[in-house]
Amino acid sequence: MNDQLEMGLSNARVAKYHQQELPDFQGNPLIGALPPILSLEEAFDELSYHPDYDEKERMLSPHLRYHAIPRLQRFFQPVMQHLDLEQRFSRLLRYGYVGRNPLSPGYTRQLNEAHQVMKGQAQAVPYDIRSTASSFTLMGFSGIGKTTAIERILSLYPQLIIHKHPINLTQIVWLKLNCPHDGSLKSLCMDFFLKIDRLLGTNYYDRFGSKRNSISSMVTRMGQIARLHCIGALIIDEIQHLLTAKDSGSEKMMNFFVTLVNEIGIPVMMIGTMRARSVLQQDFRQARRGSGQGDMVWQQMKKGDDWDVLVESMWEYQWIENRVELTRDLNETLYEQSQGIVDIAVKLFALSQGRAIETEAETITPAMIRKVASDDLKLVQPMLKALKSGLPSEIEKYEDIMPMDIEEYLQYRSHNIDIKATIQKKKEKQAEERQKQQSSVLEKVILALIGLDMDTNLSEKAATNVLKRFPDSSQAELMQKALTYIEEQQKPKIKKKATIPNHLQNLINQGKKKKRSAYESLLDSNYIKNPLDEFVI
C-alpha cells in the first residue's frame, strides 16, 4: 500500500529520520521526519526568495519589460517578524506531535478514544495529548504580508511524508484552509475533505462531505481524519469571515477549533485581519486557547533596518532603461506613500516602473511615486491617510487595508503599452512604405529626364531636390519642376558690374554740390594722383 502511495503522490516525500537532540522529540518518527530546526541565520536564507533577473532585460522592448514587472510579486525578503513567525510555527508543529507518537503503546488506544470523544461517547482523552498541542493567532492589516509569510514558511516543510514499515502511515505535516466567506462551519468541513482527497487520493468528500451529512457528523469525521493522518498543524486563514456567520456559526466554529486543540491534539493557527479581534476575544476561553504560542499582531513596518533591507533588496529589480539609484528621498517617499504596508510598497514600486515605461520617461522620481500613488491607489488613500495621522480614532475606522491585484492592473495598463507598440510599428511600416514609394517616384523622374537627353548627374540632382521640397506632388508635377530647376541651372551667369564703393560715391556727390568734377574731388581726397607729378622735369 505504501509503495502505491509513494508512486501516486507526487508531492509526497519518503521519510528520512533526523537525530533529535532535545529529549522531548527523541523516539518520535513524526518529528524525526521533519526538516532540521533552523537557526535564525538559516531561516533567513531559506525564506528569502529573489526571482531570476538579468540587467539585459532593461534593454528589451517596452511591452516585454512591462510583462516582466509582475515578477516582483514573487519577491520575498524576510525581516525580523518573519523569522519570529518561523520560530513560533516550528515550535507549534513539533510540540503538537509530542503527544502523538505512533510508536508508543497507547497510540492506537488514543486514536480510538479521540474518535469516541468526537462522537460524544467519552468524557476525556489522556492528558498527554491535550497538553502538548497549542494554537496561536496572527492578526494584522491586509497587505502586511501575513498569508505570503506563512506560505513561505510552509514551503520549508514537505506537506506529505510517507512512513514505511513498521509504521505504515502517510503523515500530513500541514493543511491550510481559508475560512469560507459566509463563515459556515459546514463549508469549512467540505473544503477540508476536498483538500485531503486531493492530497491522498481518497474519497472522504463523497463519503462524508455531501449535503445530506449533518454538521455534527462532518465535524466528527474531520477530527477523526485529522488524527488518523497525523495532521501536524491546521492553518485557518481569513478568520475574520466568521463575522458574517449566521446564527451562532462563529461560536460553533471557534468551539470546534478549541476541540481540535484540546481533545484531538491538533495544533491550530488562525490568521486574520484586525477585524478578527472581535471574533477571537469574544470569549475568554477562545482567546486563551488561541494564545498557546503568543498572539502576533502585525502592523505597518516602522522606518529602520527592516524597512531598509526590504527596499534595498527590492530596488535591484528594475526594468526601466535608465537605472535609478536608491536615494534617501526615494526611500522616504516610498515609505510615506505606502505607510510601511509591504504589499502597497512593492506594488507602488512596480506600478511606478510601469508608468515610467508607459510614458517613455524611463526613470523613477519621488514626484512620479507620489503621482502613481494618487492615481492608482485611490481606494486605499483614506486608510493610508488614517495611518499617517497616527490617531487611533481614525485608524479604527479602517480595520482592514485592502490589497490590490497588481497583475490585473498591469494587464489593464499593458493594453495601452501594446497599443502604443502597435501604433509605433504601423508608423514605422508606413514610413518604410513611403520611403519605398518615394524611391520609386525618384527613380522614374530621373529616368524620364535622362530620356530627354538631360545630363545624368544634373537629372539626379534635380529630381532629388524637387522631391525633397515637394514630397506630396504628383510625378507629372515633379517632372515639370525638375525641368524648371535644370533650366535655371543651365542659364549663363551674367557677371555683375563693379560698383563704386559707397564712400567714394559720397565724395563725388559732395564735389558736385561744389561744382567740382569727380576727378577733382577724388584728387583732393588723395584717392588718385596727378599724372604730371610722376614725371621729373
Side-chain angles (χ1 to χ4, degrees):
M1 178 179 177
N2 281 330
D3 291 338
Q4 293 175 348
L5 280 172
E6 184 179 347
M7 293 175 62
L9 304 176
S10 58
N11 57 346
R13 179 186 300 177
V14 177
K16 293 183 179 179
Y17 304 103
H18 305 279
Q19 186 66 34
Q20 301 298 308
E21 297 183 31
L22 292 177
D24 296 335
F25 302 157
Q26 292 174 355
N28 189 328
L30 299 179
I31 299 175
L34 298 175
I37 298 174
L38 300 176
S39 65
L40 288 177
E41 293 78 10
E42 291 170 335
F44 183 89
D45 293 336
E46 292 293 330
L47 290 174
S48 298
Y49 183 76
H50 298 159
D52 292 336
Y53 171 76
D54 191 335
E55 281 279 345
K56 295 178 182 178
E57 293 179 24
R58 295 192 295 111
M59 298 298 107
L60 295 174
S61 59
H63 62 285
L64 289 178
R65 288 184 286 133
Y66 209 88
H67 282 75
I69 294 175
R71 198 183 307 164
L72 268 171
Q73 290 193 120
R74 305 202 305 272
F75 165 83
F76 187 83
Q77 178 62 55
V79 294
M80 282 307 300
Q81 62 186 18
H82 300 137
L83 301 180
D84 185 15
L85 178 61
E86 189 279 329
Q87 294 284 310
R88 295 193 193 204
F89 181 80
S90 178
R91 294 194 297 269
L92 177 85
L93 181 63
R94 287 171 170 80
Y95 276 98
Y97 277 133
V98 167
R100 294 183 288 159
N101 187 342
L103 297 182
S104 66
Y107 178 73
T108 303
R109 177 172 56 84
Q110 291 169 2
L111 281 179
N112 293 331
E113 289 182 348
H115 180 44
Q116 296 301 318
V117 167
M118 294 301 291
K119 292 175 65 176
Q121 298 175 0
Q123 298 297 319
V125 182
Y127 179 78
D128 61 337
I129 292 182
R130 64 173 180 265
S131 65
T132 63
S134 62
S135 63
F136 78 99
T137 59
L138 171 60
M139 293 180 290
F141 295 125
S142 292
I144 204 67
K146 305 180 300 298
T147 299
T148 303
I150 193 61
E151 287 179 350
R152 283 297 302 159
I153 291 170
L154 293 178
S155 71
L156 304 181
Y157 296 87
Q159 190 168 12
L160 293 179
I161 299 178
I162 298 174
H163 297 265
K164 295 185 177 182
H165 183 78
I167 302 173
N168 296 326
L169 64 83
T170 300
Q171 174 187 359
I172 299 178
V173 178
W174 54 266
L175 188 68
K176 181 175 177 290
L177 304 175
N178 285 334
C179 186
H181 288 280
D182 58 0
S184 165
L185 179 55
K186 190 169 188 176
S187 297
L188 182 73
C189 293
M190 292 169 68
D191 189 32
F192 174 87
F193 295 134
L194 281 173
K195 290 283 179 66
I196 296 293
D197 286 347
R198 288 171 186 168
L199 285 172
L200 302 178
T202 52
N203 62 344
Y204 290 133
Y205 180 79
D206 293 336
R207 293 167 59 191
F208 311 126
S210 62
K211 294 183 179 180
R212 67 177 181 272
N213 293 96
S214 65
I215 293 179
S216 60
S217 173
M218 286 185 178
V219 168
T220 299
R221 298 301 184 183
M222 186 174 170
Q224 186 181 23
I225 291 169
R227 286 284 291 155
L228 178 64
H229 295 291
C230 302
I231 295 181
L234 185 64
I235 299 95
I236 311 295
D237 202 354
E238 307 293 352
I239 200 70
Q240 72 277 1
H241 289 163
L242 287 180
L243 290 172
T244 61
K246 297 179 181 179
D247 300 325
S248 57
S250 63
E251 184 179 354
K252 290 179 180 178
M253 190 176 292
M254 292 301 298
N255 286 335
F256 171 65
F257 294 150
V258 172
T259 301
L260 280 179
V261 176
N262 290 351
E263 310 299 346
I264 308 302
I266 309 295
V268 176
M269 175 183 178
M270 289 171 280
I271 305 173
T273 63
M274 302 304 286
R275 296 176 62 216
R277 285 181 298 183
S278 59
V279 177
L280 299 173
Q281 296 175 355
Q282 62 186 344
D283 183 285
F284 173 77
R285 179 181 63 132
Q286 295 165 359
R288 179 172 57 86
R289 296 304 182 187
S291 304
Q293 293 292 333
D295 290 333
M296 296 187 73
V297 179
W298 285 5
Q299 297 180 352
Q300 68 266 43
M301 292 181 68
K302 304 297 182 183
K303 289 183 181 179
D305 293 340
D306 278 356
W307 172 260
D308 291 338
V309 168
L310 172 71
V311 176
E312 288 169 7
S313 299
M314 176 183 70
W315 207 261
E316 295 298 318
Y317 292 87
Q318 295 187 31
W319 287 276
I320 52 178
E321 290 182 355
N322 305 317
R323 183 173 182 82
V324 178
E325 295 299 324
L326 178 61
T327 63
R328 182 177 179 181
D329 194 12
L330 284 167
N331 190 328
E332 291 182 351
T333 302
L334 193 62
Y335 184 87
E336 183 70 17
Q337 297 302 317
S338 68
Q339 282 300 295
I341 304 296
V342 177
D343 179 76
I344 294 178
V346 173
K347 289 171 181 175
L348 191 53
F349 178 55
L351 295 176
S352 296
Q353 292 196 57
R355 179 71 62 89
I357 295 173
E358 182 182 349
T359 60
E360 299 181 356
E362 297 294 350
T363 189
I364 297 176
T365 63
M368 176 180 285
I369 293 175
R370 287 190 287 268
K371 178 66 173 172
V372 169
S374 174
D375 293 346
D376 302 331
L377 300 180
K378 288 186 174 68
L379 292 178
V380 297
Q381 283 303 319
M383 289 159 276
L384 293 177
K385 288 180 181 177
L387 291 173
K388 289 179 185 178
S389 72
L391 299 173
S393 59
E394 291 296 316
I395 295 175
E396 286 175 0
K397 295 178 182 178
Y398 307 100
E399 293 174 316
D400 290 351
I401 299 293
M402 295 300 293
M404 60 180 295
D405 188 347
I406 183 177
E407 193 165 356
E408 181 180 345
Y409 173 86
L410 286 175
Q411 187 175 6
Y412 165 75
R413 300 295 292 179
S414 68
H415 182 62
N416 294 339
I417 295 291
D418 293 339
I419 289 177
K420 284 186 176 181
T422 302
I423 292 174
Q424 183 62 28
K425 287 182 179 180
K426 286 185 177 180
K427 285 183 177 179
E428 292 174 357
K429 188 174 182 179
Q430 289 175 350
E432 185 179 349
E433 291 177 353
R434 190 182 301 113
Q435 184 68 31
K436 289 180 179 179
Q437 184 178 3
Q438 288 182 345
S439 298
S440 177
V441 172
L442 178 65
E443 184 178 343
K444 290 179 180 179
V445 173
I446 292 174
L447 292 175
L449 292 173
I450 293 175
L452 295 176
D453 292 332
M454 299 293 177
D455 179 72
T456 302
N457 292 334
L458 188 57
S459 298
E460 183 177 351
K461 184 178 180 181
T464 303
N465 183 276
V466 297
L467 184 59
K468 184 177 180 181
R469 292 172 57 193
F470 311 101
D472 297 327
S473 299
S474 64
Q475 183 176 337
E477 291 172 336
L478 290 172
M479 188 69 183
Q480 183 179 357
K481 294 179 185 299
L483 289 172
T484 302
Y485 177 86
I486 292 174
E487 184 180 352
E488 291 176 352
Q489 293 293 314
Q490 289 179 336
K491 284 182 179 179
K493 295 182 180 179
I494 302 174
K495 293 183 180 180
K496 296 182 179 179
K497 294 181 179 180
T499 58
I500 301 174
N502 291 337
H503 178 64
L504 299 182
Q505 186 65 51
N506 290 336
L507 290 175
I508 293 172
N509 292 337
Q510 291 175 3
K512 286 182 179 180
K513 293 179 181 180
K514 298 177 181 180
K515 297 182 179 181
R516 295 178 66 81
S517 64
Y519 172 77
E520 291 174 332
S521 297
L522 295 175
L523 181 63
D524 292 343
S525 300
N526 294 320
Y527 276 96
I528 60 175
K529 293 182 178 181
N530 188 339
L532 297 178
D533 292 343
E534 298 297 321
F535 296 97
V536 178
I537 300 177

